Amino acid sequence: MTSHTPETTWNALTLHWQQLADLGGIGSLLGWDQSTFLPVGAAGGRARQQALLAGIVHERATDAAYGRLLDDAQAHTDWTSVQARTLALARRQFEEATRLPGTFVQEFTQHVGESYSAWVEARPANDFTRMVPYLERTLELSLQAASYFPEFASPMDYFIDQSDEGMTAEVVDRVFDDLRAALVPLVEAVAQAPEPRTDFLHRFYAPDVQLRVGGRIAADFGYDLTRGRQDLTAHPFMTRLGGQDVRITTRVREHDLTEALYSTLHETGHALYEQGVAPELLGTPLGGGVSSGVHESQSRLWENLVGRSRAFWAAYFPAFRDAFPEQLSDVTEDEMYRAVNVARRSLIRTDADELTYNLHVITRYGLERELLAGRLAVRDLAQAWHAAYETTLGLRAPSDVDGVLQDVHWYGGGIGGAFQGYTLGNVLSAQFHAAAQRALPGLEAQVARGAFSELHGWLRDHVYAPGSTYTPAELVQRVTGEPLTVGPYVAYLRGKYTALYGVG
Amino acid sequence: MTSHTPETTWNALTLHWQQLADLGGIGSLLGWDQSTFLPVGAAGGRARQQALLAGIVHERATDAAYGRLLDDAQAHTDWTSVQARTLALARRQFEEATRLPGTFVQEFTQHVGESYSAWVEARPANDFTRMVPYLERTLELSLQAASYFPEFASPMDYFIDQSDEGMTAEVVDRVFDDLRAALVPLVEAVAQAPEPRTDFLHRFYAPDVQLRVGGRIAADFGYDLTRGRQDLTAHPFMTRLGGQDVRITTRVREHDLTEALYSTLHETGHALYEQGVAPELLGTPLGGGVSSGVHESQSRLWENLVGRSRAFWAAYFPAFRDAFPEQLSDVTEDEMYRAVNVARRSLIRTDADELTYNLHVITRYGLERELLAGRLAVRDLAQAWHAAYETTLGLRAPSDVDGVLQDVHWYGGGIGGAFQGYTLGNVLSAQFHAAAQRALPGLEAQVARGAFSELHGWLRDHVYAPGSTYTPAELVQRVTGEPLTVGPYVAYLRGKYTALYGVG
């Protein structure tokens, strides 16, 4: 009856994608407002609005007519490579949304909600035993979720692929093994060295001045405030509310100079990625960052490889001295650089520094691997945690509160894929940064002048503009000339920390 | 097949109403954010999100299955009076949403958009002639819209009923005639009297201090900030984002002490109404203010009858003196009271004071009446405007810029029903306030102490809690013991202004 030319199919798909993107933006607004300005009494009503919108999004994302459009498109073979990639990602998202039965999703959601509520009580009570049956069920449900995607070699492969398309457990294992082998002795050596002074980081720093200075640096990096904004929140994040609306949020602590600064630079990195996506891709499946690893690489690149560099402090120490003349009266530029790079072995992931952070991630990833493979029982998880920390960080938590009970991820979500992206991001941050250094010979001198337009422009052209046009692996290969590899990251950390601590 | 008991029908309706309310709240969030925090570059994307959501809302508001549920409910006669009223309002909204054909709504929307764009250029060019064909078409389309509701005696009755259920042009005519007869000589007398000093209102007042003082008074009035918040905007408004989420916005001018204060008190009045609706009505057709007249009565009651009273300044002048000691060093409490009540005949509605404002409204209402009745041609509207202003306010605008071109309403919307609510609200504000005074003998003394809990409690119990349980006319009768009448308002204005200006 109706003629489905490739063009009409494509146009209908384009319209549908734009609507899905717009609904996604509305959902992001509900979440952004919830985390910034929502009156305390309105939490329940907001949750109901979010559930209603999620239902509408799910309806449209799984719409049978949309599925037929995707089938029509698949029957056609004459697409450009960008169109073919767009269709492949759309298909991927469609399968993700349709294969899990509604009743299963409901059961999983409800279980996770109950598990989270139990954890909120069990954690302060140091009661891992109470959480065992919850986690056992979570593990079962996670395995069941993975079973709907039999094309993956293992459940872990499925979970990794969800956030890092195309990545496999085998690759992550190898990367993490290499990284651990390099990091453990470096961390050990740094632990023996004397610590730099950090006392001045904990003087009183007026929150509004902290925000002003951090916001200025974000703008210097290239964050466009005509298409974004910065607000206060409890747990900082970056969020896309629309094609031209990418916002960051920040937490400020009066007696911590680094909290607001580095969370601002971190979220700015995420935001630069999203703001840099080519306009013509916005509102399509290609119109956003391609994977959690690549996303985290950009937050970490700007936070750490730029923001914790010696050159950065050459550029900005004067601004901090101007903003906080009394608090920094007895501090040198070099002392500041050393203080923001202090490395200490510790028990808590979220407090960990740049150097030791990855060992926390690798530990959790290893435990997830064992749980999903059936080689570790949930009831033995707490002891396995302690054992892994002793091996990797040489520390043992005095209780499960600072051990297996510390992170919300397993208790308020599924088991699998929650952690590896952080460290993949760190590895990639150095790999991308090394490529930028090769392409921009004067980079360090530019950073030391607070001039970021070349670095930002290069990253925008090579990493940001393509959005999800290439798979993560293709992107890494194109931009750096090699596949994912720990070499640049290990070299970066080794060079930085041996110089800082006089070790190695 | 399925059995539709009244209970299952009612439950299905309740669920649907809650979803409509939640979608409405999401739409309000999109609008609130647009007016407060949206990055400038994101305007286009936001408009598309709003249109998408409006489409979803329209789909659900006009859903055939929902219509059948309403029919099922109508077939049943055993409802409580509150249920019957709920169903009647739901039916009213359903008819409003379904009777206008989609193509007609589209055409009207597009025409109004084009008309608005033309007005944006024609107004500064003082070019009413250019707007004549646009307005002629707007008038035609407005009449066509009304023609879908033949149960009303006239198009004007339909438009008035849309915002003030049950009110008719006949009643409004009578009320406005009575009011004009009382106001014209009073305004004339005031115009002859010497003006009080107002110079100090235009000194520099730090915006953040203005906001703090205004916010404190809003809280004193009873505005609950655990279920609301106050933010900055260009055009102040109150908005409900959820059952427990009623927000106000404010504009602050550095050299105007009254702008932020009285817009805060005005929007607080609207917010107290919405926050006071009984919790069990939220998410149903009864869960909000009943009409624009009653809503405006509450904003005006708190803004004018409380906030511009002598007693109010007895309570708050010390706080203003503390906040602005230098700016108010040569000002007495009585001078402040007189300054915020200055009355001047003027050409611009939005700059008009409490006394003369209604004459602007009555003038516009009269012109709308004539246009809709076919007794006035659009091409004669500019002259009719000048003539009406000469008769009513004794003024003639030097051009159409400050005449017929000044308000956006007719150029960016339909003709009919846009204005009368403001003055109905003023009339009702005095009627409700007089009832409160009868019920609360010590009211003025309480206001003079900044104690509002009795007034707020009385209004909450009698006006706010019922939401839309009663029709506007029923509510006015129940609360004041009589139908809508100008007596209390005229008495209030006459008493206040003869005392202030020593006239009459």
Side-chain angles (χ1 to χ4, degrees), chain A residues 99-133:
Chain A
R99 281 212 218 159
L100 302 182
T103 51
F104 171 73
V105 172
Q106 218 165 4
E107 189 191 350
F108 205 158
T109 306
Q110 189 176 337
H111 168 71
V112 156
E114 290 165 9
S115 168
Y116 174 79
S117 300
W119 172 74
V120 167
E121 293 174 4
R123 191 188 169 193
N126 189 33
D127 188 0
F128 178 68
T129 308
R130 177 170 171 197
M131 295 313 301
V132 168

Side-chain angles (χ1 to χ4, degrees), chain A residues 269-348:
Chain A
H270 283 303
L272 291 176
Y273 190 1
E274 290 295 326
Q275 283 194 334
V277 173
E280 65 271 22
L281 302 182
L282 298 174
T284 80
L286 306 186
V290 69
S291 71
S292 61
V294 175
H295 235 302
E296 195 71 9
S297 80
Q298 295 314 301
S299 57
R300 291 304 201 172
L301 187 154
W302 289 100
E303 175 193 359
N304 289 337
L305 285 101
V306 174
R308 289 187 207 264
S309 71
R310 190 65 189 75
F312 174 89
W313 283 106
Y316 288 104
F317 189 68
F320 278 85
R321 275 286 286 266
D322 285 351
F324 302 109
E326 282 179 36
Q327 294 90 328
L328 297 177
S329 61
D330 63 341
V331 180
T332 67
E333 190 180 303
D334 198 61
E335 283 176 319
M336 178 65 93
Y337 168 63
R338 289 173 182 277
V340 303
N341 284 296
V342 69
R344 292 189 187 101
R345 291 190 292 191
S346 65
L347 290 165
I348 308 297

